[in-house]
Amino acid sequence: MLSFLNGLRELSAFSVALRMLLAVLCGGLIGLEREFKRRPAGFRTHILICLGAAITTLTSQFLYLYMHYYTDMARLGAQVIAGIGFIGAGTIITRRERVKGLTTAAGLWASAIVGLAIGAGFYEGAVIATVLIILAEWIFARLEYWLLDNAPEANLYIEYENKSVLGNILEYFRQKNIKIVNLEITRSKTTAKHNACAIVNLRMDSNTKISEVTNKLELTEGVIHVEEL
């Protein structure tokens, strides 16, 4: 531990203000990447969760040190860890039979843990965790996108006008030597016309990228919408 921070680990008006400000800063930095991507829980949500968790730990310390309520100081923090699951679950949605929002939910949970660490005066751990979380959300995300773009398998949601369009799509897959692992045909529920749509599981060779396939399908006549799941 850094010895020069020992004075700030004591519960005083200055250390309380510092911990709250640091919680706002760390929570805001974690939430920036989610905000740029227009996710349900963004900049302000992460700030409020991190700040709320920090206040929870501070309250536990205050009750023990100043009000002399001799109870488990970790009890309130444990409730934060459990309770954040309800908020995280609200950011997870099932869209076209695929789950989205797990990264946002995990970021909210991590932001709450950072807040608890800050409230406890564990400044070093909170700052290091914030840096690592930001790296995971910003830097590692690019690596993840590269891996997904070069992955041998992909799932596509394709909305189209009629059967002949689907035939052209399947012919394109055959020409590109793209194997169809699974094909599910249904009707779109997101538009008034209820166009036909297909959910396709594809297996491609190393020379074919999914971005290339989706771009080609978007330009195909009769294709209304293409989305990678």
Side-chain angles (χ1 to χ4, degrees), residues 157-175:
Y157 170 86
I158 308 170
E159 191 172 332
Y160 54 93
E161 292 179 349
N162 50 56
K163 292 182 180 179
S164 62
V165 178
L166 179 59
N168 295 333
I169 294 172
L170 297 179
E171 177 62 22
Y172 167 71
F173 290 155
R174 188 189 66 81
Q175 294 175 359

Side-chain angles (χ1 to χ4, degrees), residues 187-201:
R187 290 283 178 180
S188 173
K189 298 179 181 179
T190 59
T191 60
K193 293 183 178 180
H194 295 291
N195 297 304
C197 63
I199 299 176
V200 193
N201 179 230

Side-chain angles (χ1 to χ4, degrees), residues 43-60:
F43 182 67
R44 291 182 299 168
T45 305
H46 282 77
I47 287 178
L48 292 176
I49 286 178
C50 191
L51 180 59
I55 295 173
T56 300
T57 308
L58 287 168
T59 302
S60 297

Side-chain angles (χ1 to χ4, degrees), residues 87-106:
I87 299 178
T91 67
I92 301 174
I93 60 174
T94 303
R95 183 181 181 187
R96 299 188 179 117
E97 302 183 2
R98 291 296 183 273
V99 176
K100 292 183 178 292
L102 289 176
T103 302
T104 301

